[in-house]
Amino acid sequence: MTEQTKTGKLSLYLKNSYALADVTFILMVTLTNTYAQIFLTDFALFSTTTTASILFFGRILDAASVPVTGGIIQGANLKQGKYRPWLVIGAVLTMIFNVLIFINWNGSSGAVLPKAVACCLIYSLFCASTNLAYTGFTSLNSLLTSDPKERVALASFRGLGSGVGRVLSGYLLLPMIALFSFNGGSQNVKGYFITALVTSMILVLGYINLYKAVGSRDSNGTAAGSGAKAKDNGVSGKNVMGLILTNRPLLCLFCADILRILTNLVTLSIFPYFFIYVAKDLKAAPMFFGSTAVASLVGAALVPVISRFLSKKAAYIVGLVMLGAGFAGATVLKDNTFAMVSVLVIGYVGYSFSNTLSTAMYTDVVDYGEVKYSVNARAIYFSMYQMSIKIAAICSTGIAGFGLAFIGYQAGMEPTPRVISGINFICLALPIALCAASVLLLLLYNLSDKRMEEIRRILAEKHEN
């Protein structure tokens, strides 16, 4: 047994800590991704257009911060390690700004513009803070081990954590908001504020635990799975674009991820409106979010089994096809809420295949990039993973916010046929097209399992010399 294989094995405690960290992150970020828009329109009392502008421009600033945060992490060599300190730093900053989003802005009275600008800046700082935390988190996947099976296993644990986080979010967030509203179950600003505080504190605890679990495996960029000689190389700013734009697998995965994530974020943003104003069944919202979250958990648990028969690329594509088919079925069954949710549950099993394997595929891109460019740009490439989330979020915010304004949505008003038709299109038809486009991009991704075996052999020889 080689030294690389020995050091590549990860403890169950570390894997569970990695999963738990994603549970806490998903719980916190789902509150903001799903309920920030409806909070700002219906409780903080900003107009629909103002809310759309706050979130849209905040997301643009957020996306602009991704290369900055990636460059900071890539260039920094803190005493506690290269990546794990950013878990704690990012989590604490995220907690602060997330809580500030859910304060009583009272956007319907006096000085609306300054309030909107302040809210936009706070929202963008919240997103930038999550960039620091999550880039550090995802970068650990390739840092902690070079064993391909362990990398898939770690990605699967992350997927399981994400699934558990979605389950908890689906079933707990609305009840928590109602509980902390202290008003007979009626939602109010206080309920959202306290829920944001509680979920953010849980995030900090989860990331501190992972920081401790990683321990000496992150020693200023030393890759535990590759021996002490494998270190991240400094990357100058002028070379970053070349490392990105000439990396075909990275670009294909990056663009496919944007469309996949956009599908999910549009769903998160618009389905609360669907259940309130179209289905007129608010109780179905926890059922939908909870059930699809359970489906994601099941999908993540199946990934190690599926990986025995399919390559990561093939399993990713199968997952997208299942998700698109789920939305197609939901379009047909939209008049029956229970049936619609049921077919989407099956689709979200597939979504979890793609979501789970994405980070494992990024670790392959990191190894490919090191062989091609003789540079280990781990933080740069994983910041691209973050960038895919941010670009998807910008598009989702624009679709949800300005889309609602375009179709004539007004909070608390009986929906017109145009509003109902528009919500149906955004919720059900658009995701089908996004899934199809994502599949086409994945077909161009050219890192096969056989090619990765050769790349890992080259890297092993390089690190031994």
Side-chain angles (χ1 to χ4, degrees), residues 231-304:
K231 295 188 177 182
D232 285 331
N233 304 103
V235 181
S236 63
K238 65 180 181 180
N239 293 330
V240 169
M241 294 306 295
L243 292 174
I244 294 172
L245 295 179
T246 60
N247 191 320
R248 172 179 163 178
L250 172 67
L251 293 177
C252 292
L253 181 59
F254 171 70
C255 293
D257 266 356
I258 290 174
L259 299 177
R260 173 183 62 81
I261 296 166
L262 177 58
T263 301
N264 186 51
L265 291 181
V266 167
T267 302
L268 290 174
S269 299
I270 296 298
F271 261 92
Y273 292 91
F274 179 90
F275 290 120
I276 294 172
Y277 295 104
V278 180
K280 298 186 183 301
D281 185 6
L282 183 57
K283 293 181 179 179
M287 178 182 70
F288 168 74
F289 290 114
S291 299
T292 54
V294 170
S296 297
L297 181 61
V298 171
L302 291 174
V303 166

Side-chain angles (χ1 to χ4, degrees), residues 342-362:
S342 297
V343 295
L344 285 173
V345 165
I346 298 173
Y348 265 88
V349 172
Y351 177 82
S352 190
F353 295 168
S354 307
N355 185 56
T356 299
L357 289 167
S358 180
T359 51
M361 292 170 74
Y362 267 93

Side-chain angles (χ1 to χ4, degrees), residues 145-401:
T145 178
S146 62
D147 186 326
K149 292 183 179 179
E150 286 292 280
R151 285 180 170 181
V152 170
L154 194 61
S156 298
F157 270 78
R158 183 194 70 83
L160 288 169
S162 177
V164 171
R166 283 176 55 83
V167 171
L168 294 176
S169 300
Y171 286 114
L172 294 182
L173 286 179
L174 278 176
M176 286 175 67
I177 293 168
L179 174 66
F180 294 133
S181 294
F182 303 111
N183 190 24
S186 177
Q187 298 176 22
N188 60 31
V189 172
K190 184 183 294 182
Y192 281 93
F193 176 83
I194 298 177
T195 302
L197 177 61
V198 170
T199 56
S200 297
M201 291 175 65
I202 292 172
L203 168 72
V204 172
L205 293 176
Y207 270 45
I208 288 175
N209 176 67
L210 179 59
Y211 172 90
K212 293 180 179 179
V214 171
S216 61
R217 280 185 173 270
D218 178 14
S219 178
N220 293 319
T222 300
S226 302
K229 295 180 181 179
K231 295 188 177 182
D232 285 331
N233 304 103
V235 181
S236 63
K238 65 180 181 180
N239 293 330
V240 169
M241 294 306 295
L243 292 174
I244 294 172
L245 295 179
T246 60
N247 191 320
R248 172 179 163 178
L250 172 67
L251 293 177
C252 292
L253 181 59
F254 171 70
C255 293
D257 266 356
I258 290 174
L259 299 177
R260 173 183 62 81
I261 296 166
L262 177 58
T263 301
N264 186 51
L265 291 181
V266 167
T267 302
L268 290 174
S269 299
I270 296 298
F271 261 92
Y273 292 91
F274 179 90
F275 290 120
I276 294 172
Y277 295 104
V278 180
K280 298 186 183 301
D281 185 6
L282 183 57
K283 293 181 179 179
M287 178 182 70
F288 168 74
F289 290 114
S291 299
T292 54
V294 170
S296 297
L297 181 61
V298 171
L302 291 174
V303 166
V305 178
I306 293 170
S307 297
R308 298 175 188 173
F309 306 99
L310 297 175
S311 67
K312 292 188 284 291
K313 171 183 172 179
Y316 191 120
I317 291 174
V318 167
L320 287 172
V321 171
M322 290 176 62
L323 181 63
F327 279 102
T331 302
V332 175
L333 300 170
K334 63 185 178 183
D335 293 329
N336 185 323
T337 304
F338 179 81
M340 183 188 75
V341 171
S342 297
V343 295
L344 285 173
V345 165
I346 298 173
Y348 265 88
V349 172
Y351 177 82
S352 190
F353 295 168
S354 307
N355 185 56
T356 299
L357 289 167
S358 180
T359 51
M361 292 170 74
Y362 267 93
T363 64
D364 289 348
V365 169
V366 170
D367 289 346
Y368 166 79
E370 184 173 355
V371 169
K372 182 175 182 178
Y373 306 106
S374 298
V375 172
N376 189 322
R378 183 179 289 108
I380 297 297
Y381 289 143
F382 274 100
S383 71
M384 290 295 291
Y385 174 77
Q386 282 295 94
M387 178 66 83
S388 68
I389 299 173
K390 305 308 177 180
I391 292 177
I394 291 173
C395 296
S396 172
T397 301
I399 291 169

Side-chain angles (χ1 to χ4, degrees), residues 98-175:
N98 192 37
V99 169
L100 291 177
I101 292 171
F102 292 96
I103 63 176
N104 188 2
W105 291 96
N106 194 14
S108 65
S109 65
V112 174
L113 180 60
K115 291 178 182 178
V117 170
C119 188
C120 179
L121 290 175
I122 289 171
Y123 181 69
S124 64
L125 289 171
F126 159 77
C127 295
S129 300
T130 65
N131 293 343
L132 285 174
Y134 213 66
T135 298
F137 172 77
T138 52
S139 295
L140 291 174
N141 187 282
S142 65
L143 174 79
L144 294 174
T145 178
S146 62
D147 186 326
K149 292 183 179 179
E150 286 292 280
R151 285 180 170 181
V152 170
L154 194 61
S156 298
F157 270 78
R158 183 194 70 83
L160 288 169
S162 177
V164 171
R166 283 176 55 83
V167 171
L168 294 176
S169 300
Y171 286 114
L172 294 182
L173 286 179
L174 278 176

